[in-house]
Amino acid sequence: MEDTLTEEKDMDYSRALITILKGVVDKRTQPYIWNIIKDNQPRMEEYVARIGLLLYVDDNAGYAYVKQNDDDNLPRLVPRHQLSYGLSILLVQLRKCLGDFDASNGDSILVLSFEDIKLRLKPFYPAATNEAKFDNEVNRHIKKAVEMGFLSEIYGQADTYEVRELIRSFVTADWLQKFNERLQDYIDYGAKDSDQSDDDVLIG
């Protein structure tokens, strides 16, 4: 009986480890995996450190992920994400919205509609942009942000999204500063062809 329980615990540990190596673990949507990570946090930190990774767990926001230890001269295991012009602008605007929201709303969650997001992005696109094409592009970037864990859809409310705390860990002050330094280049690039990826825009 004891051997069976040990095997089950080892299997749970392996399952949680594989899950977090593949991406972000969210406490709200993956409570079972989250609890295994919390119960085994020191053991997991030691394991990932051996392969040049750092385990990051935010108890308040309820998410965990692994990131590359850039101090180690090792091949990169956690890939950087190449972001398109439009997705870069979206993440910057979401991060700024979250910062502005914090100042006046305490512990409440930030919820934005599709129209709210469109209004935030529109100044960064050419004035003559086709409206239908623009809507499709914004939708595409929103879906990507949801996949990355920066936005989550509000159940029962169409085209409405919660801005997740996770975005703070990825869109940092340093990232924003570098982005702002190149903002005019991004705007010029977007005016030329906003559908193509800018390989120099990296996050992760």
Side-chain angles (χ1 to χ4, degrees):
M1 182 66 175
E2 186 176 339
D3 289 342
T4 301
L5 289 175
T6 300
E7 288 178 5
E8 289 178 354
K9 287 184 178 179
D10 287 343
M11 185 65 70
D12 285 343
Y13 173 80
S14 297
R15 185 178 294 110
L17 182 60
I18 291 169
T19 300
I20 200 167
L21 286 173
K22 292 173 66 177
V24 177
V25 171
D26 189 311
K27 180 180 180 180
R28 293 190 305 183
T29 59
Q30 300 164 287
Y32 183 70
I33 297 295
W34 170 267
N35 288 333
I36 295 170
I37 291 171
K38 290 298 299 175
D39 290 343
N40 295 274
Q41 189 170 337
R43 179 186 176 190
M44 202 168 285
E45 287 173 341
E46 182 180 355
Y47 177 86
V48 300
R50 293 175 183 170
I51 52 176
L53 302 178
L54 299 171
L55 175 64
Y56 183 86
V57 179
D58 190 318
D59 291 306
N60 293 326
Y63 59 81
Y65 61 90
V66 293
K67 60 182 180 179
Q68 195 86 25
N69 185 349
D70 292 327
D71 295 333
D72 289 341
N73 187 23
L74 295 171
R76 191 162 193 92
L77 181 60
V78 178
R80 291 184 181 273
H81 300 287
Q82 293 188 358
L83 305 182
S84 66
Y85 166 83
L87 183 55
S88 301
I89 293 291
L90 171 60
L91 296 186
V92 169
Q93 293 305 306
L94 293 179
R95 181 64 182 86
K96 288 182 176 179
C97 282
L98 195 58
D100 294 341
F101 184 80
D102 287 344
S104 57
N105 291 274
D107 295 330
S108 301
I109 64 171
L110 171 59
V111 175
L112 298 175
S113 69
F114 175 78
E115 292 300 323
D116 294 331
I117 295 172
K118 266 184 64 176
L119 287 174
R120 286 273 183 172
L121 298 184
K122 204 152 195 176
F124 299 95
Y125 284 78
T129 299
N130 177 277
E131 193 70 17
K133 181 181 177 183
F134 180 55
D135 283 0
N136 289 336
E137 185 164 346
V138 173
N139 260 319
R140 178 161 53 86
H141 296 319
I142 287 174
K143 287 179 180 178
K144 186 63 178 178
V146 170
E147 289 176 13
M148 298 174 77
F150 299 134
L151 289 174
S152 62
E153 298 178 74
I154 301 295
Y155 180 76
Q157 299 183 40
D159 296 328
T160 308
Y161 307 88
E162 175 190 346
V163 182
R164 302 302 312 281
E165 291 285 331
L166 174 65
I167 200 169
R168 298 182 195 274
S169 296
F170 287 83
V171 185
T172 62
D174 181 59
W175 193 93
L176 284 171
Q177 180 179 350
K178 291 177 180 177
F179 184 90
N180 286 332
E181 289 171 357
R182 296 192 56 198
L183 183 56
Q184 189 57 52
D185 290 339
Y186 292 156
I187 292 174
D188 292 343
Y189 184 90
K192 180 178 68 175
D193 190 346
S194 62
D195 287 333
Q196 295 184 18
S197 293
D198 183 350
D199 291 344
D200 292 330
V201 186
L202 298 176
I203 187 171

